[in-house]
Amino acid sequence: MKICSFGETLIDFTPVGVSENGNIIFERNPGGAPANLAVAAVKHGVQASFIGEVGDDIFGQFLNEKLKGEGVDTEYMVINSRYKTTLAFVQLDEKGERSFCFYRNPGADTMIESQAVNLRAIDECEIFHYGSVSMTHNPARITTFELIKYAQQKGKLLSFDPNLRMPLWNSEEEARHEIRHGLQFCDILKVAEEELIFLTGCKTLEEGARQIAKKYKTPLILITEGSQGSHALIHDYYINAPAFPVSVVDTTGAGDGFLGCFLASFLKSQKTLEQLSGEDVYQMLRLANASGALSVTRKGGMPSLVTTEEAQALLDQQPEG
């Protein structure tokens, strides 16, 4: 059971306090949604590999070592000495919600080319996962869709998290166009509430999910709604799973923890999407909600990700009903 996650890994500089001079202190944290997801999958008991490109610099070396230390297969990581590793500075508001300022013009992650990728990474997996950050610039955009099509030809399940970061796009129109292109291929789509509204314009999440399912024939759609829990649309059934009340510190990585947990649970079930029942999906959502909830109580993206045992312990504290 293995997930291959493709896209960006980068440094999140996360605020951790204020210096004696009144300046914000930033902590270097490993991040990037596809990399976070690979780590989350490993923490939830399945194998994961990561395909991405970093610079031959202290940040790229740190990310490679960190992913390897977390148990992710980094054999397919590309090191490019011509470009620097992308950096992101995170700002947190009083509710722990984050915004990003990126240093990436270009970043090594945007420059990955398909000929640099060892396709064995996809051959070995059951699920190929991708996001939209790798779609913002070429050649990474071209590479993304080439790998998607290769995975599809190989009969792999495709998972897509748009993970919309508007500062990285030239325009909203470009973002919608490329993300909708990505929707054409995925079997499992995970979207946050605001991303679903951005893509569909629908006023309700169920309406938006049904619009996407009808247009793109997406078998499983997962929707995260923060403190309101999560939802899923499968076999024409719309399912809701409640959130866990926690004190929010930093929401970075929560969606990655949620999806990594869900995909791992799905793989461990050894069922196909067609075989999943509504109850199966509901229970997977509950565990994924617990995983995401715990991550927001900690700072950083990758460092906040939790294990199945930790998520299950929170789940046991809040029985159904």
Side-chain angles (χ1 to χ4, degrees):
M1 296 181 291
K2 193 170 189 178
I3 296 169
C4 176
S5 190
F6 169 75
E8 75 283 358
T9 185
L10 47 81
I11 301 294
D12 286 330
F13 280 104
T14 310
V16 292
V18 179
S19 72
E20 293 180 358
N21 294 326
N23 297 315
I24 296 175
I25 300 172
F26 288 94
E27 180 181 36
R28 179 184 68 172
N29 279 311
N36 291 343
L37 181 133
V39 171
V42 171
K43 287 182 177 291
H44 287 285
V46 301
Q47 293 182 308
S49 61
F50 177 75
I51 303 174
E53 184 166 290
V54 295
D56 188 12
D57 50 36
I58 58 171
F59 298 123
Q61 294 161 11
F62 168 72
L63 290 167
N64 197 5
E65 292 168 4
K66 183 64 178 177
L67 284 170
K68 189 180 297 183
E70 292 286 358
V72 175
D73 182 354
T74 61
E75 179 184 350
Y76 310 105
M77 180 90 84
V78 180
I79 311 296
N80 192 328
S81 60
R82 290 177 294 169
Y83 305 100
K84 298 297 184 184
T85 303
T86 294
L87 310 179
F89 285 82
V90 183
Q91 291 186 321
L92 302 174
D93 65 18
E94 62 278 2
K95 295 181 181 179
E97 293 292 338
R98 74 277 187 273
S99 58
F100 297 88
C101 177
F102 292 92
Y103 286 77
R104 179 192 190 234
N105 192 26
D109 62 298
T110 69
M111 303 306 294
I112 188 168
E113 299 184 13
S114 55
Q115 58 263 34
V117 175
N118 186 340
L119 295 175
R120 184 157 53 89
I122 299 175
D123 296 337
E124 294 173 345
C125 75
E126 281 75 42
I127 295 176
F128 177 71
H129 174 77
Y130 59 99
S132 77
V133 170
S134 62
M135 299 175 184
T136 60
H137 297 82
N138 283 319
R141 178 188 298 169
I142 293 171
T143 301
T144 301
F145 288 108
E146 287 179 345
L147 297 184
I148 287 170
K149 290 174 182 177
Y150 180 83
Q152 192 176 49
Q153 290 167 2
K154 289 292 183 176
K156 308 301 181 180
L157 279 175
L158 273 69
S159 163
F160 180 29
D161 177 2
N163 194 36
L164 181 64
R165 297 287 178 263
M166 272 313 308
L168 297 178
W169 294 91
N170 293 318
S171 67
E172 290 189 2
E173 291 73 20
E174 182 189 44
R176 281 195 189 89
H177 179 269
E178 296 301 333
I179 291 172
R180 285 170 177 168
H181 187 194
L183 290 175
Q184 297 177 29
F185 306 98
C186 67
D187 302 291
I188 301 171
L189 171 67
K190 179 265 174 189
V191 285
E193 174 188 14
E194 62 273 14
E195 292 163 348
L196 187 61
I197 295 170
F198 175 81
L199 291 170
T200 67
C202 291
K203 295 181 180 178
T204 70
L205 299 183
E206 182 173 354
E207 181 187 359
R210 292 190 181 279
Q211 181 190 110
I212 287 177
K214 181 178 180 180
K215 183 172 182 179
Y216 299 101
K217 312 299 182 190
T218 312
L220 174 59
I221 298 174
L222 309 172
I223 308 161
T224 54
E225 198 185 1
S227 61
Q228 301 304 306
S230 64
H231 316 266
L233 180 63
I234 186 170
H235 310 320
D236 206 36
Y237 292 107
Y238 192 74
I239 302 161
N240 303 284
F244 294 84
V246 292
S247 298
V248 178
V249 174
D250 181 0
T251 58
T252 307
D256 309 322
F258 169 92
L259 184 56
C261 176
F262 188 97
L263 294 178
S265 297
F266 167 61
L267 280 180
K268 288 189 290 186
S269 76
Q270 297 187 314
K271 292 186 177 183
T272 65
L273 288 175
E274 292 74 21
Q275 292 170 336
L276 283 181
S277 68
E279 179 62 20
D280 290 332
V281 173
Y282 175 71
Q283 295 300 339
M284 291 175 187
L285 285 178
R286 292 192 74 228
L287 187 66
N289 283 354
S291 183
L294 283 175
S295 76
V296 305
T297 65
R298 308 172 182 182
K299 285 194 174 183
M302 200 177 292
S304 73
L305 300 171
V306 304
T307 63
T308 302
E309 292 72 24
E310 291 173 289
Q312 186 63 50
L314 178 61
L315 197 62
D316 294 341
Q317 293 173 22
Q318 185 174 309
E320 293 180 72

